[in-house]
Amino acid sequence: KRVVDFGCGTGSQSIALAKKYNCSVVGIDANRKSLDKAIEQAKPYNIPQSGLSFVDKVSDGMLNSFDIVISQNSFEHFGNPSMILDLMQQLLNDSGKLLVTFGPPWLAPYGSHMQFFCKVPWINVLFSEETVMKVRGRFRSDGATKYEEVESGLNRMTIAKFERIIRSSNLKIEFKSYKCIRGINALSKIPFLSEYFVNHVTVILSR
């Protein structure tokens, strides 16, 4: 198989795929520092370049040529998720599959990704963005004043927003799994409550 690890970060998953399954993997990430770490992390495994490579953008030669595109724990961070999904779709060959899995969504208990300094759930619902960013500033020095400006960014990916993006893509859903907090997955079937209790989203898509 030819596999893209889209949003590969420091490359652990890409390396594991290439080593364990002997597939050809291309890790893609816009963060150059992460890619440099991925390249260093891969060196001890002596995987040939034909089996594992890391790039910071998609080239024309990569389009329509991959069997699998994986996006793990990245979809809530993309600045333009609709455009990125379209780009991932373009990477697939005619029989290719796209796996998108991420969590927590925006309105989940820790969808704000701020639990490193506050264990109170739903702080992005209970408190204003200004308040949350002001307190965050005591722990991070990046100057972010909006959720979109934090490291890796947050695009406020709700369940409704995600489903709307999938519908507009014309991709077919072959598998869908919404996992709720504490294993109470029945809540995922209730429209309003699902936004606040679905903690992890997984879909497999095809053209």
Side-chain angles (χ1 to χ4, degrees), residues 24 28 42 44 51 54 58-59 68-69 72 101 108 116 141 144 147 191-192 194-195 199 202:
S24 176
I28 303 175
F54 294 100
V58 172
S59 64
I68 306 289
V69 175
Q72 178 167 315
T101 180
F116 66 91
S141 57
Y147 290 107
F192 177 78
S194 66
E195 288 285 11
N199 205 47
T202 298

Side-chain angles (χ1 to χ4, degrees), residues 9-187:
T10 56
S12 297
Q13 178 170 260
S14 301
I15 294 166
L17 287 166
K19 194 171 186 307
K20 182 174 177 63
Y21 298 106
N22 198 33
C23 50
S24 176
V25 182
V26 177
I28 303 175
D29 203 289
N31 188 320
R32 191 66 239 181
K33 289 183 180 178
S34 293
L35 282 184
D36 290 342
K37 289 179 182 177
I39 292 167
E40 287 301 313
Q41 188 172 214
K43 284 181 179 178
Y45 296 97
N46 296 314
I47 301 169
Q49 189 172 6
S50 59
L52 177 65
S53 59
F54 294 100
V55 298
D56 60 2
K57 60 184 177 181
V58 172
S59 64
D60 289 342
M62 296 168 65
L63 302 180
N64 304 304
S65 60
F66 290 90
D67 302 294
I68 306 289
V69 175
I70 298 172
S71 172
Q72 178 167 315
N73 292 334
S74 299
F75 209 78
E76 75 272 41
H77 297 291
F78 297 135
N80 189 334
S82 296
M83 183 190 74
I84 293 296
L85 184 65
D86 182 61
L87 183 57
M88 289 192 284
Q89 180 179 352
Q90 291 180 54
L91 289 166
L92 293 174
N93 58 33
D94 289 341
S95 59
K97 310 288 185 186
L98 169 58
L99 168 66
V100 177
T101 180
F102 72 96
W106 177 242
L107 293 176
Y110 296 103
S112 64
H113 291 54
M114 298 295 158
Q115 62 268 35
F116 66 91
F117 73 84
C118 181
K119 301 301 182 184
V120 176
W122 294 292
I123 65 167
N124 51 325
V125 176
L126 297 172
F127 300 97
S128 69
E129 181 178 44
E130 181 182 4
T131 297
V132 175
M133 290 294 107
K134 185 177 294 185
V135 177
R136 180 186 179 276
R138 300 179 183 179
F139 301 87
R140 294 288 188 269
S141 57
D142 55 12
T145 59
K146 298 179 179 179
Y147 290 107
E148 289 82 358
E149 295 172 353
V150 304
E151 185 178 6
S152 297
L154 284 171
N155 59 26
R156 311 180 197 227
M157 185 58 62
T158 62
I159 300 298
K161 182 178 178 180
F162 178 70
E163 292 180 342
R164 189 164 58 248
I165 289 171
I166 297 299
R167 283 196 302 273
S168 66
S169 73
N170 294 318
L171 286 161
K172 300 173 185 174
I173 298 176
E174 297 199 354
F175 172 85
K176 181 174 76 171
S177 173
Y178 289 176
K179 298 293 186 184
C180 292
I181 61 173
R182 300 187 182 277
I184 313 173
N185 295 328
L187 293 174

